[in-house]
Amino acid sequence: MLRVGLGRRSRGCGGGLWRRRCLAAAGGSASSFCPGALSAAASSSPSDGGGARGGGSPPAGTSNIKPLDGVKILDLTRVLAGPFATMNLGDLGAEVIKVERPGTGDDTRAWGPPFAGTESVYFLSVNRNKKSIAVNMKDSKGAKLIRELAAVSDVFVENYVPGKLAEMGLGYEDIKKVAPHIVYCSITGYGQTGPKVQRGGYDSIAAAVSGLIHITGHEDGEPVRPGVAMTDLATGLYTYGAVMAGLLQRYKTGKGLHIDCNLLSSQVACLTHVAANYLNCKIEAKRWGTAHGSIVPYQAFKTKDGYIVVGAGNDQQFVTMCKILNLPEVSKDSRYKTNTLRVQNRKELIDILSTRFSEKATIEWLQLFEGSGVPYGPINNMQQVFSDPQVLHNGLVMEMNHPTAGRIAVPGPGVRYSEFAVSHPKPPPLVGQHTVEILKGMLGYEDDAIEELLRTGAVSQHEVR
């Protein structure tokens, strides 16, 4: 028999750490700004046998307190943009509660091969540092659980088509009633309003509509999708920053807020100078392959055995480049004296440079350019990337022990901090691995109430063997 409210709630299971501190500092009022709340207490980080190769150890003399320690994030997102954002927030210490469908879970759990054991490598790549609770949100009891979890969380992140969660009583206005402090972030394809609002959000489609695919590919070739889902990833990074801005805004105003992130806006914003060229000069964008529309030379050149990318960002670098290539007459040619002239005479110059680069192997050119001050680098495959000493030094490979896949490795965060390290990552969870733990620890549910929820299918628990 279900208890009232789907289980008794233990006292002291209030909102996230930052919210509780602000309430205490403000004498119980959420309307006062609490700057002291930004100094979250350290929480213990149990090791899962994980860490970063190279640069992942905490700096000497620091306690490894992380900026989002104590912040609770209720994560209803799936696939890439949302999970990438919440994973990065988890790296900074936030407790991320990933809500998944019982049984199948996040769509990307089925995306493969490749698989590590039975686990999708795609899923593993963007879901570290999270706990999973499996909830049937279409069940009224499941929807009520989400509202209860929101009430004790700081952040609510979702990526459903606008209006879908409102039908379940889980839209922003619904959650705001039970959690007025909540930073509620929606990730969609096109935004919360407008003529395309009901379309689903997919990276390739948004990349096409936003113009990214139009400008990607060989100069005389077909449009090309970037090798990774850059529109999703850019939206994830915008979301990551927006959530932290939302938290800071809340501590200035004492109020929660709704954040609208979407794929289209993120990608159009990232068009930067290409968009500005059109907006200001009505210059239509085109594809340049590895080259640059406004800088010459700045592209890949074929060598005897591979490719090297070289750029001359200013006239002095171009002169130096010509010396390395033993082409002093080219640097003195009046057609190439300035970048503007080099852009105007692009074809002739690139033909000359391409001929010279084809005469030596990549490693020979790398040695000649070393220490010259001219930007250069090889085009690496994945084996070469993860053998690069700088990649290893920067701690960009994170390893951890997964309960079913065993030892796994994923790319780590791209930022390092002087006072703490993103170390000891928790492995990506199994579907519903932490359901009972969350119901007990966050909501104070007792065993009989949890058993009833499990029996009726409102939630499910994955037993790790």
Side-chain angles (χ1 to χ4, degrees):
M1 183 175 180
L2 288 177
R3 296 185 181 275
V4 175
L6 296 178
R8 286 203 297 267
R9 305 275 291 281
S10 299
R11 292 185 179 180
C13 293
L17 177 65
W18 285 10
R19 178 179 179 240
R20 293 200 302 274
R21 287 186 169 186
C22 272
L23 289 172
S29 170
S31 62
S32 300
F33 173 46
C34 176
L38 298 178
S39 301
S43 63
S44 60
S45 299
S47 173
D48 288 285
R53 296 182 198 164
S57 299
T62 65
S63 60
N64 213 36
I65 296 172
K66 295 180 181 178
L68 297 185
D69 281 345
V71 173
K72 289 182 170 61
I73 297 176
L74 190 60
D75 178 12
L76 277 66
T77 66
R78 304 140 296 158
V79 187
L80 183 55
F84 185 64
T86 56
M87 178 183 71
N88 279 283
L89 293 165
D91 285 341
L92 296 185
E95 181 179 5
V96 180
I97 308 302
K98 184 176 180 68
V99 178
E100 301 191 73
R101 291 171 294 182
T104 56
D106 190 311
D107 293 346
T108 59
R109 289 185 181 274
W111 288 10
F115 293 92
T118 59
E119 305 300 320
S120 162
V121 174
Y122 193 114
F123 175 85
L124 296 177
S125 72
V126 290
N127 282 287
R128 66 176 173 267
N129 289 325
K130 300 177 185 180
K131 296 178 180 179
S132 173
I133 180 171
V135 180
N136 179 5
M137 297 193 301
K138 295 181 180 178
D139 185 310
S140 61
K141 295 186 290 293
K144 186 171 184 180
L145 281 175
I146 299 300
R147 287 190 289 272
E148 291 178 347
L149 287 167
V152 295
S153 297
D154 298 284
V155 178
F156 187 113
V157 190
E158 57 91 8
N159 64 344
Y160 286 78
V161 172
K164 189 67 175 178
L165 286 184
E167 294 173 3
M168 305 179 202
L170 300 174
Y172 173 60
E173 294 301 328
D174 303 299
I175 297 301
K176 184 180 178 181
K177 291 174 184 176
V178 297
H181 64 282
I182 205 76
V183 175
Y184 188 114
C185 183
S186 297
I187 305 172
T188 60
Y190 300 92
Q192 293 297 305
T193 58
K196 297 181 179 180
V197 68
Q198 288 303 311
R199 296 187 187 183
Y202 295 88
D203 172 87
S204 290
I205 310 304
V209 174
S210 69
L212 176 63
I213 290 180
H214 172 70
I215 62 174
T216 305
H218 291 296
E219 183 174 358
D220 299 318
E222 298 293 322
V224 174
R225 175 185 177 273
V228 293
M230 286 309 304
T231 302
D232 267 345
L233 295 172
T235 305
L237 291 175
Y238 268 113
T239 300
Y240 167 65
V243 165
M244 289 191 285
L247 288 169
L248 288 171
Q249 177 74 357
R250 190 179 76 187
Y251 295 114
K252 291 185 175 183
T253 66
K255 299 177 182 179
L257 73 163
H258 183 239
I259 298 170
D260 171 10
C261 291
N262 66 82
L263 303 185
L264 178 66
S265 295
S266 295
Q267 189 54 69
V268 170
C270 286
L271 293 176
T272 58
H273 70 282
V274 174
N277 288 347
Y278 174 76
L279 293 173
N280 294 283
C281 305
K282 294 299 180 276
I283 298 174
E284 183 53 76
K286 58 177 288 186
R287 291 181 283 283
W288 287 104
T290 64
H292 194 290
S294 302
I295 306 171
V296 175
Y298 191 86
Q299 66 181 75
F301 292 94
K302 188 171 177 57
T303 66
K304 188 179 288 187
D305 62 349
Y307 293 88
I308 185 173
V309 176
V310 181
N314 57 54
D315 296 336
Q316 182 55 53
Q317 287 180 348
F318 178 68
V319 171
T320 303
M321 178 180 177
C322 290
K323 287 180 181 178
I324 294 170
L325 296 175
N326 195 24
L327 294 171
E329 70 281 2
V330 173
S331 66
K332 297 174 184 176
D333 192 313
S334 61
R335 294 173 297 171
Y336 312 131
K337 295 294 285 184
T338 68
N339 180 69
T340 299
L341 291 169
R342 291 192 292 273
V343 171
Q344 292 171 357
N345 298 285
R346 177 192 300 267
K347 186 179 186 308
E348 299 91 334
L349 176 58
I350 295 304
D351 286 345
I352 295 169
L353 299 180
S354 295
T355 299
R356 181 52 56 91
F357 274 111
S358 69
E359 296 172 358
K360 295 181 185 291
T362 302
I363 186 64
E364 295 179 85
W365 288 122
L366 295 177
Q367 291 168 348
L368 288 169
F369 275 95
E370 177 67 29
S372 67
V374 176
Y376 74 98
I379 295 181
N380 286 334
N381 60 27
M382 291 302 102
Q383 186 277 327
Q384 292 165 329
V385 169
F386 291 105
S387 300
D388 187 294
Q390 191 67 50
V391 170
L392 297 176
H393 172 79
N394 287 357
L396 290 171
V397 179
M398 299 197 86
E399 297 180 330
M400 58 206 91
N401 293 320
H402 188 273
T404 62
R407 193 72 171 174
I408 64 171
V410 298
V415 181
R416 299 169 72 182
Y417 303 87
S418 65
E419 296 303 312
F420 68 93
V422 180
S423 56
H424 304 301
K426 296 181 179 66
L430 304 172
V431 181
Q433 181 179 342
H434 305 94
T435 297
V436 171
E437 174 188 331
I438 292 165
L439 291 176
K440 287 185 175 182
M442 286 185 68
L443 299 181
Y445 275 50
E446 296 183 351
D447 290 342
D448 55 351
I450 294 172
E451 287 298 324
E452 181 67 11
L453 290 169
L454 291 167
R455 185 189 66 78
T456 60
V459 301
S460 66
Q461 168 72 35
H462 194 298
E463 298 297 337
V464 180
R465 293 178 175 82

